[in-house]
Amino acid sequence: MPRSHPLSVRTAVAAALALQVAAAPSTPPAAPARAGPAARTVELTLTAAPARLALRDGGDTTDVWAYDGRVPGPTLDLREGDRVVVHFRNRLPEASTIHWHGLTLPFVADGSPFHPVPPGGSHDYVFTVPRGTAGTYWYHPHPDHRTGAQVARGLYGAIVVRAPDDPLPASLPEHVLVLSDNRFRPGGAIDIADPASPAGRVDAENGREGDVVFVSGRVMPALAIRSGEVQRWRIVNASAARVYRLALEGHRLLHVGSDGGLFARGVERGELTLGVGERAEVLVRGTGAPGTRALLRALPYDRYIPQTRPADWATPRDLLALRYDDGPPVAPPALPEVLRPVAPLDTGRVAARRVMVLTQHLINGKHMDMARVDVRARLGTTEIWEVENLVGMDHPFHLHGFRFQVLDRNGVPEPFPSWKDVVNVPKHETARFVVRFDGFAGKWMYHCHILDHEDHGMMGVLEVRP
Ligand code: C2O
Ligand code: CU
Ligand code: CU
């Protein structure tokens, strides 16, 4: 099968999916909030099935589980207002789901452990992408206890949601960088340790990491840039447990967005830490000279307890080469100072304040029980959640169904509001966020996004009622 360049988002959907886009047939909205392209229906099929792929250039082939035969799965390119219909076909030998990480959608479309799709079964996920939620999201399986193993075999992919009034110039070349890691046995098989083995016990503690790091399914790919050019990178941390402390040699990054899209204005950073499940939008300004190259690296990040910290944790890893072509510099494009308004959620009228205490594999001292409801709330109310990490290891806390705004980390106020659905809570630290339950009623998971911890029950259920 010809493989479209995995880093290029604009080609991916059209090339690889039997994607049908139709203008909405009947009545236009009575009073459109603002002029934009007509609402569309995006209809596509995603099939999860075993496949055999060469994951590393020139390496052995590997038995994987893949969406539409590709690892990562195809990037879904959506617009705010789209009605999305995904026909999921499960051709795996076990139950699975597709969870649309970070999207606001009805409970039955969430692909959580409450709605498993049996082997050989199908399910239609139907949802509408709300206005104001343009950003970078991703999708992955979420069956009870099996998420880590299914993602490790290759099931994950990126989602881009675009706004009609995106403030950044449409002319900026865009790349989606899906970061993942994996581990292989001699011969090429994916190395998933027996849970009873020493390696399996380390994976259960640390979360499974691999020594091979992929950027959108490639090891150390190269991206081309022209001197003066500005590129928009959307970065997704799809790893089961690895945290990426990203730095681009000789460049500063203009950090313009996080999980739920753009900030009010960009922030200059020398480096950027992306916890498990988190996303970032950055602008890379081509300040290098023609013919030079710069490496994107993951710098050491100590998220571990000393007993199971990997021996090579302090070694930086090269992720990607940015290569300047030989052409003369181009004039840098004008960038807007102000991106979009991000209004802080009102913390003055709070229906509840809750504390989530994280210990190893437990939240508030409990393992996940699908038959239990841990937190009850009402639609439309606002709550403040304090996530307290009591142990000597980071835990990334994720909430389904509703986006939130971090208020402070270890008592230090967040400098500006942004939309998040994962907050990494470092060892022995506390983070507080405010969430307004604007969205849909249902039972929503919250959990540690280290997949081994989630699969071991570091998860709870929030029931939101009308
Ligand atoms: Cu990205 Cu409940 O998951
Ligand atoms: Cu999620
Ligand atoms: Cu955890």
Side-chain angles (χ1 to χ4, degrees):
M1 184 179 85
R3 191 164 152 191
S4 67
H5 194 286
L7 299 181
S8 154
V9 62
R10 288 178 204 282
T11 55
V13 163
L17 299 174
L19 174 74
Q20 296 141 31
V21 174
S26 50
T27 40
R34 56 186 173 228
R40 313 182 294 175
T41 293
V42 173
E43 187 170 2
L44 55 102
T45 300
L46 276 178
T47 303
R52 198 167 170 85
L53 295 176
L55 295 178
R56 292 163 292 175
D57 292 336
D60 300 301
T61 55
T62 297
D63 286 316
V64 299
W65 290 356
Y67 290 118
D68 288 10
R70 301 152 48 126
V71 176
T75 296
L76 308 189
D77 201 333
L78 305 175
R79 293 186 201 148
E80 290 182 356
D82 278 351
R83 180 170 171 270
V84 182
V85 181
V86 181
H87 306 291
F88 170 49
R89 302 190 305 157
N90 181 7
R91 299 291 176 266
L92 304 172
E94 62 185 46
S96 191
T97 72
I98 308 182
H99 171 58
W100 314 93
H101 179 123
L103 294 182
T104 302
L105 34 64
F107 174 49
V108 291
D110 189 42
S112 81
F114 285 110
H115 299 101
V117 180
S122 302
H123 183 75
D124 289 347
Y125 294 98
V126 181
F127 54 91
T128 297
V129 181
R131 300 281 178 197
T133 61
T136 308
Y137 301 90
W138 60 300
Y139 60 97
H140 61 78
H142 212 314
D144 205 19
H145 302 301
R146 296 287 297 157
T147 299
Q150 293 192 8
V151 172
R153 287 180 165 87
L155 295 169
Y156 53 91
I159 303 171
V160 173
V161 174
R162 299 180 190 283
D165 50 357
D166 192 317
L168 291 170
S171 59
L172 303 185
E174 181 176 303
H175 299 289
V176 176
L177 311 181
V178 181
L179 307 180
S180 67
D181 58 341
N182 217 332
R183 211 161 72 202
F184 299 91
R185 300 210 166 102
I190 294 172
D191 175 15
I192 297 178
D194 176 343
S197 68
R201 284 196 291 271
V202 170
D203 286 352
E205 192 71 20
N206 275 355
R208 179 177 176 273
E209 289 189 348
D211 54 329
V212 184
V213 178
F214 294 90
V215 179
S216 299
R218 310 263 313 273
V219 176
M220 260 301 274
L223 283 181
I225 192 168
R226 187 81 174 257
S227 281
E229 187 178 282
V230 175
Q231 298 191 347
R232 182 177 189 170
W233 291 5
R234 297 172 181 270
I235 311 174
V236 180
N237 183 354
S239 279
R242 186 178 288 281
V243 173
Y244 296 86
R245 195 179 135 216
L246 299 169
L248 180 60
E249 267 185 312
H251 293 68
R252 291 176 71 74
L253 299 169
L254 187 58
H255 188 194
V256 293
S258 60
D259 303 344
L262 295 174
F263 300 148
R265 26 182 100 229
V267 184
E268 292 282 351
R269 295 201 194 285
E271 58 177 68
L272 184 137
T273 299
L274 207 56
V276 176
E278 288 185 308
R279 289 85 66 203
E281 288 187 59
V282 299
L283 299 185
V284 172
R285 289 152 301 179
T287 48
T292 60
R293 128 193 148 129
L295 295 178
L296 177 71
R297 288 213 175 89
L299 304 177
Y301 179 84
D302 184 10
R303 66 178 187 83
Y304 314 95
I305 49 172
Q307 299 88 303
T308 51
R309 185 189 286 136
D312 65 346
W313 78 274
T315 311
R317 286 165 189 280
D318 297 344
L319 301 180
L320 168 152
L322 184 65
R323 288 209 186 114
Y324 283 89
D325 69 27
D326 291 322
V330 295
L335 298 173
E337 194 68 25
V338 174
L339 299 172
R340 65 162 184 179
V342 180
L345 289 176
D346 181 7
T347 53
R349 297 206 349 245
V350 164
R353 290 170 188 269
R354 305 188 192 274
V355 179
M356 297 284 153
V357 176
L358 310 183
T359 50
Q360 211 61 354
H361 296 168
L362 301 170
I363 299 181
N364 289 339
K366 286 180 275 190
H367 279 117
M368 164 78 178
D369 179 348
M370 301 267 292
R372 186 181 70 219
V373 169
D374 297 280
V375 174
R376 294 178 198 278
R378 311 289 315 210
L379 267 186
T381 61
T382 300
E383 298 193 356
I384 291 176
W385 289 24
E386 177 170 325
V387 187
E388 217 182 309
N389 183 354
L390 293 190
V391 294
M393 174 175 194
D394 291 21
H395 293 283
F397 188 89
H398 170 55
L399 174 64
H400 286 213
F402 309 93
R403 52 189 191 165
F404 56 77
Q405 294 177 350
V406 175
L407 292 172
D408 44 51
R409 301 177 195 244
N410 242 13
V412 179
E414 197 75 342
F416 53 87
S418 73
W419 292 113
K420 296 283 297 162
D421 51 66
V422 186
V423 57
N424 187 56
V425 188
K427 44 180 88 167
H428 301 302
E429 292 197 9
T430 294
R432 286 195 319 142
F433 64 75
V434 54
V435 57
R436 193 167 66 204
F437 298 118
D438 281 338
F440 296 89
K443 286 183 178 176
W444 304 98
M445 331 299 302
Y446 54 86
H447 58 87
C448 176
H449 215 289
I450 291 177
L451 299 182
D452 307 77
H453 297 180
E454 171 189 331
D455 284 337
H456 281 91
M458 195 171 173
M459 181 151 67
V461 176
L462 158 71
E463 181 169 20
V464 179
R465 297 226 185 116

